[in-house]
Amino acid sequence: MPAPAELSIGQGASQWTDAQLKEKLDRIPTPERREAWTRIARQPYTEAEKAAALQKLLVLVDRMEEMLSASPWLIGARYSLADIAAVPFIARLDEIEPASLGAEGHPRVNDWWVRVRQRPAFKKARFDRFDETLRARQVGTAG
């Protein structure tokens, strides 16, 4: 089984016909996301581009570590939209680069992530691991 970082939706997307791709793109509201899906389906991101994107996410973790030195949540004493907005990025990093969230290098982010995952709303939200979701979809379409 490939590691999470090696899994790619591009494997399936590259198989789509032009009509299937257009149908999917027509449902995506933003130009940036349409461009990303077009790249995934027809001109996959290079390893250098993926590495650069990962580095941007890792800068986010460093910035969060700084912010959390002043308060338990990103912008104060209370959980806020700033924390909610960071969750998808940190969840993805937890899949592809879990060591970046470790207590050794980022103890405040590590503690924040533990507390976020304990919140009732997080438990109700659908934050399935991307790699597990992808595998389930692949199994579902294989039969």
Side-chain angles (χ1 to χ4, degrees), residues 7-32:
L7 289 171
S8 169
I9 56 176
Q11 295 166 342
S14 65
Q15 305 290 321
W16 297 337
T17 65
D18 289 344
Q20 289 171 317
L21 177 59
K22 182 182 180 330
E23 178 185 328
K24 292 177 188 317
L25 293 175
D26 287 346
R27 295 190 309 238
I28 299 173
T30 63
E32 295 84 5

Side-chain angles (χ1 to χ4, degrees), residues 20-140:
Q20 289 171 317
L21 177 59
K22 182 182 180 330
E23 178 185 328
K24 292 177 188 317
L25 293 175
D26 287 346
R27 295 190 309 238
I28 299 173
T30 63
E32 295 84 5
R33 296 307 308 150
R34 284 192 298 273
E35 171 63 22
W37 276 97
T38 301
R39 287 286 312 271
I40 289 167
R42 296 296 186 259
Q43 185 184 3
Y45 291 98
T46 66
E47 290 305 314
E49 287 171 314
K50 291 177 192 176
L54 176 59
Q55 287 308 309
K56 288 178 184 178
L57 285 176
L58 294 174
V59 167
L60 170 68
V61 177
D62 291 337
R63 180 68 179 120
M64 286 176 64
E65 187 71 20
E66 291 172 26
M67 294 171 75
L68 292 165
S69 69
S71 61
W73 299 103
L74 290 175
I75 58 169
R78 297 178 60 175
Y79 184 71
S80 71
L81 285 175
D83 299 288
I84 293 167
V87 167
F89 299 101
I90 299 303
R92 185 68 173 132
L93 265 175
D94 196 22
E95 292 178 32
I96 63 174
E97 193 72 32
S100 69
L101 304 176
E104 307 77 36
H106 295 97
R108 293 179 191 100
V109 174
N110 180 273
D111 176 65
W112 175 90
W113 186 226
V114 168
R115 288 183 290 116
V116 164
R117 288 180 291 164
Q118 292 172 346
R119 297 184 60 82
F122 183 88
K123 292 177 182 177
K124 289 180 184 178
R126 189 163 176 191
F127 271 98
D128 300 333
R129 286 182 54 100
F130 184 77
D131 56 329
E132 292 170 2
T133 300
L134 180 60
R135 271 195 287 276
R137 286 183 184 170
Q138 290 172 339
V139 168

